[in-house]
Amino acid sequence: MNLFSPLSLGDLELPNRLVMAPLTRVRSGIEGVPGPLVVEHYKQRASLGLIVTEGTYPSHAGQGFPGQPGLVTPEQIAGWTNVADAVHSAGGRLVAQVMHAGRVTHEGTNGGREVVAPSAIAIQGETRTYAGKAAYPVPHALTLDELPGVIADFVQASRNAIAAGLDGVEIHSANGYLLHEFLSPASNQRDDIYGGSPQNRARFVVEVVTAVAEAIGAGRVGIRVSPEHNIQDALETDAADLLATYGALADALAPLGLAYLSILHREPAGELVQQLRVRFAGPLLVNSGFGEVTDRDEAMAIIADELADAVVVGRAVIANPDLVSRWLKDLPLNAPDPLTFYGAGAEGYTDYPALAH
């Protein structure tokens, strides 16, 4: 087993163990429709074992960023159909990361919809809206009667992804967005069955994933988490509570037979990640490179040391559409330009050169 060997993830068959991270690139316009530029971007990277799309909203209220794509309207679904067709024509596989931003948004971004969260606690700081920067609002605390509607949005968006021809979905429960907000004791201060104990805080995530798995098949569903990542005020600073919360989540997800668990954490070899792997009892993807860029040696060592089944890579994939070939042959890499990570055009998106063969 090595980084370039095949891998089965549920219903997905991967030719190698390099996975493209879900990378926010916000190039889908005000209507959230993936256009020709997005099609080309993903097609260029089809040699990766699996592509995970950037976070894609399941409802208009769940939109977090200007220019973010959605999986809601017929036009958005048609746009994703074009992406899927292009990636498949180039021999690739891709799943849609379904992401509800929760409180990490603003009415000036999501079309004036109410901003929602587990509890009425605002993030400290500002966000970018279509009208410029604005302070995060105090969100509406979702009521028990409203939660089934949010689950239904995740299910419908996942059905839409499959209808568009994508190979599956990844449920985004990381980085401070809605599902992660339920897990974090800092953002979830509810006193009902969805708050308080670690098991209660994990409950809503389990319900969402279970419903999606029932709708499209567990073998097409993965989930991404980022324990103790501590960004966007979804703080997790108590080690015992952290393990209890994510342990409860892994225990509850294990019987579902999901395609994979993807963990963003700085220590893939650490006790937390490896214990969650055992308790999840399914394929593990690891992403260690949020703070530090994951390089070839680290990625190869993770697989060689059997710390995970696949490695999720971001910045190297942004700058090197042919990263698999470059790493396989240990060839030089293009350097990513952070100034073009977010924007509206081709620069820094589709204009990184592949090596001539």
Side-chain angles (χ1 to χ4, degrees), residues 317-342:
V317 176
I318 286 177
N320 298 275
D322 56 347
L323 185 67
V324 174
S325 177
R326 290 179 191 248
W327 274 6
L328 178 64
K329 301 170 185 175
D330 198 10
L331 297 173
L333 301 183
N334 300 321
D337 177 10
L339 296 178
T340 60
F341 284 174
Y342 313 110

PDB file of all heavy atoms in Angstrom, residues 317-342:
ATOM      1  N   VAL A 317      -2.599  21.184  -4.556  1.00  0.00           N
ATOM      2  CA  VAL A 317      -3.527  20.875  -5.651  1.00  0.00           C
ATOM      3  C   VAL A 317      -3.992  22.155  -6.342  1.00  0.00           C
ATOM      4  O   VAL A 317      -4.221  22.169  -7.559  1.00  0.00           O
ATOM      5  CB  VAL A 317      -4.726  20.061  -5.120  1.00  0.00           C
ATOM      6  CG1 VAL A 317      -5.749  19.827  -6.221  1.00  0.00           C
ATOM      7  CG2 VAL A 317      -4.263  18.734  -4.543  1.00  0.00           C
ATOM      8  N   ILE A 318      -4.141  23.234  -5.576  1.00  0.00           N
ATOM      9  CA  ILE A 318      -4.494  24.513  -6.192  1.00  0.00           C
ATOM     10  C   ILE A 318      -3.497  24.867  -7.286  1.00  0.00           C
ATOM     11  O   ILE A 318      -3.874  25.255  -8.397  1.00  0.00           O
ATOM     12  CB  ILE A 318      -4.527  25.633  -5.131  1.00  0.00           C
ATOM     13  CG1 ILE A 318      -5.769  25.497  -4.247  1.00  0.00           C
ATOM     14  CG2 ILE A 318      -4.500  27.016  -5.792  1.00  0.00           C
ATOM     15  CD1 ILE A 318      -5.839  26.525  -3.126  1.00  0.00           C
ATOM     16  N   ALA A 319      -2.211  24.736  -6.990  1.00  0.00           N
ATOM     17  CA  ALA A 319      -1.166  25.207  -7.901  1.00  0.00           C
ATOM     18  C   ALA A 319      -0.698  24.156  -8.898  1.00  0.00           C
ATOM     19  O   ALA A 319       0.002  24.493  -9.866  1.00  0.00           O
ATOM     20  CB  ALA A 319       0.029  25.706  -7.095  1.00  0.00           C
ATOM     21  N   ASN A 320      -1.088  22.893  -8.673  1.00  0.00           N
ATOM     22  CA  ASN A 320      -0.580  21.806  -9.525  1.00  0.00           C
ATOM     23  C   ASN A 320      -1.718  20.878  -9.912  1.00  0.00           C
ATOM     24  O   ASN A 320      -1.996  19.897  -9.214  1.00  0.00           O
ATOM     25  CB  ASN A 320       0.512  21.030  -8.781  1.00  0.00           C
ATOM     26  CG  ASN A 320       1.702  21.899  -8.434  1.00  0.00           C
ATOM     27  OD1 ASN A 320       2.607  22.093  -9.235  1.00  0.00           O
ATOM     28  ND2 ASN A 320       1.692  22.456  -7.218  1.00  0.00           N
ATOM     29  N   PRO A 321      -2.393  21.168 -11.014  1.00  0.00           N
ATOM     30  CA  PRO A 321      -3.504  20.308 -11.415  1.00  0.00           C
ATOM     31  C   PRO A 321      -3.074  18.863 -11.664  1.00  0.00           C
ATOM     32  O   PRO A 321      -3.888  17.949 -11.512  1.00  0.00           O
ATOM     33  CB  PRO A 321      -4.019  20.966 -12.700  1.00  0.00           C
ATOM     34  CG  PRO A 321      -2.923  21.865 -13.159  1.00  0.00           C
ATOM     35  CD  PRO A 321      -2.204  22.295 -11.935  1.00  0.00           C
ATOM     36  N   ASP A 322      -1.807  18.679 -11.999  1.00  0.00           N
ATOM     37  CA  ASP A 322      -1.256  17.341 -12.241  1.00  0.00           C
ATOM     38  C   ASP A 322      -0.405  16.875 -11.067  1.00  0.00           C
ATOM     39  O   ASP A 322       0.632  16.224 -11.247  1.00  0.00           O
ATOM     40  CB  ASP A 322      -0.431  17.336 -13.522  1.00  0.00           C
ATOM     41  CG  ASP A 322       0.680  18.384 -13.517  1.00  0.00           C
ATOM     42  OD1 ASP A 322       0.668  19.279 -12.638  1.00  0.00           O
ATOM     43  OD2 ASP A 322       1.567  18.322 -14.391  1.00  0.00           O
ATOM     44  N   LEU A 323      -0.864  17.156  -9.849  1.00  0.00           N
ATOM     45  CA  LEU A 323      -0.065  16.837  -8.669  1.00  0.00           C
ATOM     46  C   LEU A 323       0.263  15.356  -8.565  1.00  0.00           C
ATOM     47  O   LEU A 323       1.369  14.989  -8.143  1.00  0.00           O
ATOM     48  CB  LEU A 323      -0.802  17.285  -7.396  1.00  0.00           C
ATOM     49  CG  LEU A 323      -0.013  17.100  -6.101  1.00  0.00           C
ATOM     50  CD1 LEU A 323       1.197  18.024  -6.053  1.00  0.00           C
ATOM     51  CD2 LEU A 323      -0.903  17.307  -4.874  1.00  0.00           C
ATOM     52  N   VAL A 324      -0.659  14.494  -8.928  1.00  0.00           N
ATOM     53  CA  VAL A 324      -0.402  13.053  -8.830  1.00  0.00           C
ATOM     54  C   VAL A 324       0.836  12.683  -9.642  1.00  0.00           C
ATOM     55  O   VAL A 324       1.742  11.993  -9.144  1.00  0.00           O
ATOM     56  CB  VAL A 324      -1.621  12.236  -9.301  1.00  0.00           C
ATOM     57  CG1 VAL A 324      -1.287  10.753  -9.331  1.00  0.00           C
ATOM     58  CG2 VAL A 324      -2.823  12.495  -8.395  1.00  0.00           C
ATOM     59  N   SER A 325       0.909  13.152 -10.874  1.00  0.00           N
ATOM     60  CA  SER A 325       2.059  12.848 -11.726  1.00  0.00           C
ATOM     61  C   SER A 325       3.340  13.447 -11.170  1.00  0.00           C
ATOM     62  O   SER A 325       4.399  12.803 -11.156  1.00  0.00           O
ATOM     63  CB  SER A 325       1.793  13.367 -13.140  1.00  0.00           C
ATOM     64  OG  SER A 325       2.906  13.147 -13.976  1.00  0.00           O
ATOM     65  N   ARG A 326       3.250  14.676 -10.687  1.00  0.00           N
ATOM     66  CA  ARG A 326       4.453  15.336 -10.146  1.00  0.00           C
ATOM     67  C   ARG A 326       4.971  14.615  -8.913  1.00  0.00           C
ATOM     68  O   ARG A 326       6.181  14.411  -8.757  1.00  0.00           O
ATOM     69  CB  ARG A 326       4.135  16.795  -9.817  1.00  0.00           C
ATOM     70  CG  ARG A 326       3.902  17.680 -11.047  1.00  0.00           C
ATOM     71  CD  ARG A 326       3.575  19.094 -10.607  1.00  0.00           C
ATOM     72  NE  ARG A 326       3.098  19.943 -11.687  1.00  0.00           N
ATOM     73  CZ  ARG A 326       3.781  20.983 -12.189  1.00  0.00           C
ATOM     74  NH1 ARG A 326       4.975  21.291 -11.719  1.00  0.00           N
ATOM     75  NH2 ARG A 326       3.258  21.733 -13.149  1.00  0.00           N
ATOM     76  N   TRP A 327       4.066  14.247  -8.010  1.00  0.00           N
ATOM     77  CA  TRP A 327       4.518  13.547  -6.804  1.00  0.00           C
ATOM     78  C   TRP A 327       4.960  12.124  -7.107  1.00  0.00           C
ATOM     79  O   TRP A 327       5.904  11.625  -6.500  1.00  0.00           O
ATOM     80  CB  TRP A 327       3.403  13.567  -5.754  1.00  0.00           C
ATOM     81  CG  TRP A 327       3.436  14.820  -4.918  1.00  0.00           C
ATOM     82  CD1 TRP A 327       4.240  15.908  -5.093  1.00  0.00           C
ATOM     83  CD2 TRP A 327       2.640  15.100  -3.762  1.00  0.00           C
ATOM     84  NE1 TRP A 327       3.990  16.843  -4.127  1.00  0.00           N
ATOM     85  CE2 TRP A 327       3.000  16.382  -3.295  1.00  0.00           C
ATOM     86  CE3 TRP A 327       1.637  14.412  -3.096  1.00  0.00           C
ATOM     87  CZ2 TRP A 327       2.416  16.967  -2.168  1.00  0.00           C
ATOM     88  CZ3 TRP A 327       1.042  15.000  -1.980  1.00  0.00           C
ATOM     89  CH2 TRP A 327       1.431  16.266  -1.519  1.00  0.00           C
ATOM     90  N   LEU A 328       4.305  11.480  -8.037  1.00  0.00           N
ATOM     91  CA  LEU A 328       4.708  10.127  -8.403  1.00  0.00           C
ATOM     92  C   LEU A 328       6.149  10.104  -8.900  1.00  0.00           C
ATOM     93  O   LEU A 328       6.949   9.222  -8.544  1.00  0.00           O
ATOM     94  CB  LEU A 328       3.765   9.574  -9.483  1.00  0.00           C
ATOM     95  CG  LEU A 328       4.081   8.174 -10.017  1.00  0.00           C
ATOM     96  CD1 LEU A 328       3.952   7.131  -8.921  1.00  0.00           C
ATOM     97  CD2 LEU A 328       3.154   7.825 -11.180  1.00  0.00           C
ATOM     98  N   LYS A 329       6.509  11.099  -9.702  1.00  0.00           N
ATOM     99  CA  LYS A 329       7.854  11.167 -10.305  1.00  0.00           C
ATOM    100  C   LYS A 329       8.801  12.079  -9.533  1.00  0.00           C
ATOM    101  O   LYS A 329       9.950  12.262  -9.953  1.00  0.00           O
ATOM    102  CB  LYS A 329       7.720  11.653 -11.745  1.00  0.00           C
ATOM    103  CG  LYS A 329       6.840  10.762 -12.605  1.00  0.00           C
ATOM    104  CD  LYS A 329       6.535  11.406 -13.957  1.00  0.00           C
ATOM    105  CE  LYS A 329       5.551  10.572 -14.761  1.00  0.00           C
ATOM    106  NZ  LYS A 329       5.161  11.241 -16.022  1.00  0.00           N
ATOM    107  N   ASP A 330       8.335  12.643  -8.425  1.00  0.00           N
ATOM    108  CA  ASP A 330       9.123  13.559  -7.593  1.00  0.00           C
ATOM    109  C   ASP A 330       9.670  14.717  -8.423  1.00  0.00           C
ATOM    110  O   ASP A 330      10.878  15.011  -8.420  1.00  0.00           O
ATOM    111  CB  ASP A 330      10.262  12.823  -6.884  1.00  0.00           C
ATOM    112  CG  ASP A 330      10.803  13.617  -5.704  1.00  0.00           C
ATOM    113  OD1 ASP A 330      10.179  14.632  -5.332  1.00  0.00           O
ATOM    114  OD2 ASP A 330      11.857  13.231  -5.165  1.00  0.00           O
ATOM    115  N   LEU A 331       8.764  15.395  -9.116  1.00  0.00           N
ATOM    116  CA  LEU A 331       9.124  16.515  -9.981  1.00  0.00           C
ATOM    117  C   LEU A 331       8.822  17.841  -9.292  1.00  0.00           C
ATOM    118  O   LEU A 331       8.050  17.893  -8.331  1.00  0.00           O
ATOM    119  CB  LEU A 331       8.348  16.412 -11.295  1.00  0.00           C
ATOM    120  CG  LEU A 331       8.653  15.163 -12.136  1.00  0.00           C
ATOM    121  CD1 LEU A 331       7.695  15.076 -13.321  1.00  0.00           C
ATOM    122  CD2 LEU A 331      10.104  15.153 -12.606  1.00  0.00           C
ATOM    123  N   PRO A 332       9.395  18.951  -9.759  1.00  0.00           N
ATOM    124  CA  PRO A 332       9.167  20.260  -9.130  1.00  0.00           C
ATOM    125  C   PRO A 332       7.698  20.665  -9.189  1.00  0.00           C
ATOM    126  O   PRO A 332       6.945  20.237 -10.066  1.00  0.00           O
ATOM    127  CB  PRO A 332      10.040  21.209  -9.966  1.00  0.00           C
ATOM    128  CG  PRO A 332      11.049  20.343 -10.628  1.00  0.00           C
ATOM    129  CD  PRO A 332      10.374  19.030 -10.872  1.00  0.00           C
ATOM    130  N   LEU A 333       7.322  21.542  -8.255  1.00  0.00           N
ATOM    131  CA  LEU A 333       5.942  22.000  -8.145  1.00  0.00           C
ATOM    132  C   LEU A 333       5.829  23.485  -8.457  1.00  0.00           C
ATOM    133  O   LEU A 333       6.746  24.264  -8.205  1.00  0.00           O
ATOM    134  CB  LEU A 333       5.408  21.770  -6.725  1.00  0.00           C
ATOM    135  CG  LEU A 333       5.392  20.348  -6.180  1.00  0.00           C
ATOM    136  CD1 LEU A 333       4.768  20.343  -4.795  1.00  0.00           C
ATOM    137  CD2 LEU A 333       4.665  19.394  -7.107  1.00  0.00           C
ATOM    138  N   ASN A 334       4.651  23.885  -8.980  1.00  0.00           N
ATOM    139  CA  ASN A 334       4.297  25.298  -9.018  1.00  0.00           C
ATOM    140  C   ASN A 334       4.011  25.762  -7.596  1.00  0.00           C
ATOM    141  O   ASN A 334       3.484  25.006  -6.771  1.00  0.00           O
ATOM    142  CB  ASN A 334       3.015  25.524  -9.841  1.00  0.00           C
ATOM    143  CG  ASN A 334       3.143  25.062 -11.274  1.00  0.00           C
ATOM    144  OD1 ASN A 334       4.178  25.240 -11.902  1.00  0.00           O
ATOM    145  ND2 ASN A 334       2.071  24.465 -11.798  1.00  0.00           N
ATOM    146  N   ALA A 335       4.316  27.022  -7.304  1.00  0.00           N
ATOM    147  CA  ALA A 335       4.000  27.595  -5.998  1.00  0.00           C
ATOM    148  C   ALA A 335       2.632  28.266  -6.050  1.00  0.00           C
ATOM    149  O   ALA A 335       2.345  29.015  -6.984  1.00  0.00           O
ATOM    150  CB  ALA A 335       5.062  28.605  -5.594  1.00  0.00           C
ATOM    151  N   PRO A 336       1.769  28.020  -5.065  1.00  0.00           N
ATOM    152  CA  PRO A 336       0.454  28.680  -5.056  1.00  0.00           C
ATOM    153  C   PRO A 336       0.573  30.159  -4.726  1.00  0.00           C
ATOM    154  O   PRO A 336       1.453  30.574  -3.969  1.00  0.00           O
ATOM    155  CB  PRO A 336      -0.313  27.930  -3.962  1.00  0.00           C
ATOM    156  CG  PRO A 336       0.746  27.389  -3.056  1.00  0.00           C
ATOM    157  CD  PRO A 336       1.941  27.111  -3.918  1.00  0.00           C
ATOM    158  N   ASP A 337      -0.330  30.949  -5.289  1.00  0.00           N
ATOM    159  CA  ASP A 337      -0.376  32.383  -5.037  1.00  0.00           C
ATOM    160  C   ASP A 337      -1.589  32.685  -4.166  1.00  0.00           C
ATOM    161  O   ASP A 337      -2.724  32.716  -4.655  1.00  0.00           O
ATOM    162  CB  ASP A 337      -0.474  33.145  -6.357  1.00  0.00           C
ATOM    163  CG  ASP A 337      -0.610  34.648  -6.153  1.00  0.00           C
ATOM    164  OD1 ASP A 337      -0.443  35.107  -5.001  1.00  0.00           O
ATOM    165  OD2 ASP A 337      -0.896  35.355  -7.137  1.00  0.00           O
ATOM    166  N   PRO A 338      -1.382  32.942  -2.861  1.00  0.00           N
ATOM    167  CA  PRO A 338      -2.525  33.178  -1.959  1.00  0.00           C
ATOM    168  C   PRO A 338      -3.376  34.379  -2.349  1.00  0.00           C
ATOM    169  O   PRO A 338      -4.564  34.424  -2.001  1.00  0.00           O
ATOM    170  CB  PRO A 338      -1.853  33.411  -0.601  1.00  0.00           C
ATOM    171  CG  PRO A 338      -0.514  32.760  -0.709  1.00  0.00           C
ATOM    172  CD  PRO A 338      -0.097  32.938  -2.138  1.00  0.00           C
ATOM    173  N   LEU A 339      -2.815  35.319  -3.072  1.00  0.00           N
ATOM    174  CA  LEU A 339      -3.581  36.507  -3.455  1.00  0.00           C
ATOM    175  C   LEU A 339      -4.690  36.190  -4.448  1.00  0.00           C
ATOM    176  O   LEU A 339      -5.609  36.990  -4.630  1.00  0.00           O
ATOM    177  CB  LEU A 339      -2.648  37.571  -4.043  1.00  0.00           C
ATOM    178  CG  LEU A 339      -1.592  38.142  -3.090  1.00  0.00           C
ATOM    179  CD1 LEU A 339      -0.711  39.151  -3.816  1.00  0.00           C
ATOM    180  CD2 LEU A 339      -2.241  38.775  -1.861  1.00  0.00           C
ATOM    181  N   THR A 340      -4.611  35.017  -5.088  1.00  0.00           N
ATOM    182  CA  THR A 340      -5.629  34.633  -6.070  1.00  0.00           C
ATOM    183  C   THR A 340      -6.500  33.454  -5.592  1.00  0.00           C
ATOM    184  O   THR A 340      -7.248  32.890  -6.375  1.00  0.00           O
ATOM    185  CB  THR A 340      -4.976  34.266  -7.415  1.00  0.00           C
ATOM    186  OG1 THR A 340      -4.073  33.166  -7.223  1.00  0.00           O
ATOM    187  CG2 THR A 340      -4.200  35.436  -7.985  1.00  0.00           C
ATOM    188  N   PHE A 341      -6.377  33.083  -4.311  1.00  0.00           N
ATOM    189  CA  PHE A 341      -7.204  31.984  -3.804  1.00  0.00           C
ATOM    190  C   PHE A 341      -8.691  32.305  -3.946  1.00  0.00           C
ATOM    191  O   PHE A 341      -9.493  31.442  -4.298  1.00  0.00           O
ATOM    192  CB  PHE A 341      -6.888  31.701  -2.332  1.00  0.00           C
ATOM    193  CG  PHE A 341      -5.591  30.960  -2.110  1.00  0.00           C
ATOM    194  CD1 PHE A 341      -5.125  30.744  -0.821  1.00  0.00           C
ATOM    195  CD2 PHE A 341      -4.833  30.474  -3.164  1.00  0.00           C
ATOM    196  CE1 PHE A 341      -3.939  30.059  -0.593  1.00  0.00           C
ATOM    197  CE2 PHE A 341      -3.642  29.788  -2.949  1.00  0.00           C
ATOM    198  CZ  PHE A 341      -3.197  29.582  -1.655  1.00  0.00           C
ATOM    199  N   TYR A 342      -9.055  33.554  -3.648  1.00  0.00           N
ATOM    200  CA  TYR A 342     -10.455  33.970  -3.718  1.00  0.00           C
ATOM    201  C   TYR A 342     -10.575  35.054  -4.778  1.00  0.00           C
ATOM    202  O   TYR A 342      -9.775  35.983  -4.820  1.00  0.00           O
ATOM    203  CB  TYR A 342     -10.924  34.506  -2.363  1.00  0.00           C
ATOM    204  CG  TYR A 342     -10.530  33.624  -1.208  1.00  0.00           C
ATOM    205  CD1 TYR A 342      -9.568  34.034  -0.292  1.00  0.00           C
ATOM    206  CD2 TYR A 342     -11.095  32.366  -1.040  1.00  0.00           C
ATOM    207  CE1 TYR A 342      -9.184  33.220   0.762  1.00  0.00           C
ATOM    208  CE2 TYR A 342     -10.725  31.536   0.003  1.00  0.00           C
ATOM    209  CZ  TYR A 342      -9.763  31.974   0.905  1.00  0.00           C
ATOM    210  OH  TYR A 342      -9.393  31.152   1.945  1.00  0.00           O
TER     211      TYR A 342
END
